[in-house]
Amino acid sequence: MSVRLYAFTCGYLTIPRAFMLQGEHGLITVPVPSYLIVHPRGRVLFDSGLHAATLENPVAHVGEMLASFHTFHFHPGEEVGARLAAVDVAPERVDVVINSHFHFDHCGGNAQLANADILIQAREAEHARAVESTQGYLKGDWDTGQKLRLVDGEHDVFGDGQVVCIPTYGHTPGHQSLRVRTEAGGEFVLCGDACYLKESLETLRTPGVIADKDAALAVFHRLREMQSRGARIMFGHDPDFWKSVPQAPIRLG
Ligand SMILES: [Zn+2]
């Protein structure tokens, strides 16, 4: 049975370019992606975007500190629940949310997915618990009460090789990406923040804000290897790349 993959844009953020590429100046406006994977045995969401509270008042939700270097471009209808509803998937029918990591722009929508298990690397959950609401984490976003499925390293979600979490530690201590095999479009690697931009992979330039630079570089090399074997790399926050990505309800793969 085949897997279907869909991409959603759940708003945009304007941030310093130096976040994306060390040493750069100025600002960049980047997409906040989320993906729906429909497997015969379950509906999976990879990352859930921003919290719906930031539609109205982002400063109140994320605090002055984060708001000082993130400008939100996020409008009603762009939150993950609405994106899902627009393709006739009720948010409460999502079975599993796989978060690349628990930064606020990747798990803010978890609160809208009440019946989903949250699948995360154990070391990412541990790190989030340690930092609570600092360093890009917001406890109210990642600690939403659903059942946590903690995994350690590579994890085959359905046991058939079609949806596989791959550890890509570096951006954060427990970051993971997702490899999805589709019949229609071949193999995709949903990077999350393991690789922000197409340029990052081409030039091997790391971001300015990073937990472990050597680990992140090793991940770049693994992504290049997967790319050379035919996988399509879905860069995490690349505005130019993202223009070419078909949006749901059009299938990505
Ligand atoms: Zn991010």
Side-chain angles (χ1 to χ4, degrees):
M1 289 281 274
S2 76
V3 162
R4 285 177 283 143
L5 173 63
Y6 300 90
F8 303 110
T9 309
C10 298
Y12 286 80
L13 290 170
T14 299
I15 58 174
R17 282 186 70 86
F19 279 20
M20 302 273 119
L21 292 167
Q22 192 170 21
E24 296 260 323
H25 300 284
L27 298 172
I28 183 171
T29 298
V30 303
V32 177
S34 172
Y35 300 87
L36 172 69
I37 300 115
V38 182
H39 183 280
R41 302 219 319 272
R43 287 174 206 80
V44 175
L45 199 76
F46 181 69
D47 282 343
S48 61
L50 300 163
H51 197 285
T54 62
L55 289 165
E56 297 249 318
N57 194 341
V59 185
H61 185 76
V62 306
E64 299 279 348
M65 230 286 278
L66 278 176
S68 67
F69 40 80
H70 292 84
T71 304
F72 289 70
H73 313 279
F74 187 41
H75 309 288
E78 295 173 346
E79 69 277 25
V80 78
R83 288 291 195 223
L84 285 164
V87 293
D88 289 328
V89 175
E92 51 279 7
R93 295 197 60 214
V94 171
D95 301 299
V96 184
V97 178
I98 300 173
N99 291 116
S100 58
H101 61 309
F102 276 161
H103 278 165
F104 75 95
D105 57 323
H106 295 261
C107 69
N110 286 13
Q112 299 183 14
L113 305 154
N115 299 323
D117 289 352
I118 309 296
L119 196 158
I120 189 88
Q121 292 285 322
R123 58 170 73 193
E124 181 67 16
E126 191 186 325
H127 182 67
R129 275 186 223 112
V131 301
E132 294 203 333
S133 295
T134 61
Q135 302 175 23
Y137 293 81
L138 293 171
K139 192 170 192 294
D141 283 14
W142 59 261
D143 190 14
T144 44
Q146 297 97 323
K147 185 183 156 206
L148 276 187
R149 274 205 230 168
L150 300 177
V151 299
D152 190 16
E154 190 165 309
H155 177 77
D156 187 340
V157 180
F158 295 104
D160 58 6
Q162 297 196 92
V163 183
V164 178
C165 300
I166 45 178
T168 45
Y169 312 145
H171 173 71
T172 62
H175 190 281
Q176 63 183 348
S177 302
L178 194 69
R179 195 189 74 210
V180 182
R181 283 197 179 131
T182 70
E183 238 166 68
E187 187 168 301
F188 294 80
V189 179
L190 317 182
C191 285
D193 283 353
C195 188
Y196 288 135
L197 307 170
K198 188 164 173 273
E199 185 184 348
S200 319
L201 205 57
E202 285 165 0
T203 61
L204 298 178
R205 281 174 69 198
T206 49
V209 183
I210 197 153
D212 183 335
K213 186 174 169 171
D214 291 341
L217 268 172
V219 166
F220 282 0
H221 287 288
R222 284 179 53 209
L223 293 172
R224 275 184 166 189
E225 188 191 287
M226 288 189 264
Q227 190 178 42
S228 72
R229 285 189 277 111
R232 183 153 176 219
I233 308 296
M234 303 299 294
F235 301 99
H237 288 296
D238 188 322
D240 294 325
F241 166 77
W242 199 246
K243 284 180 199 151
S244 70
V245 175
Q247 298 285 306
I250 299 169
R251 270 169 78 170
L252 179 57

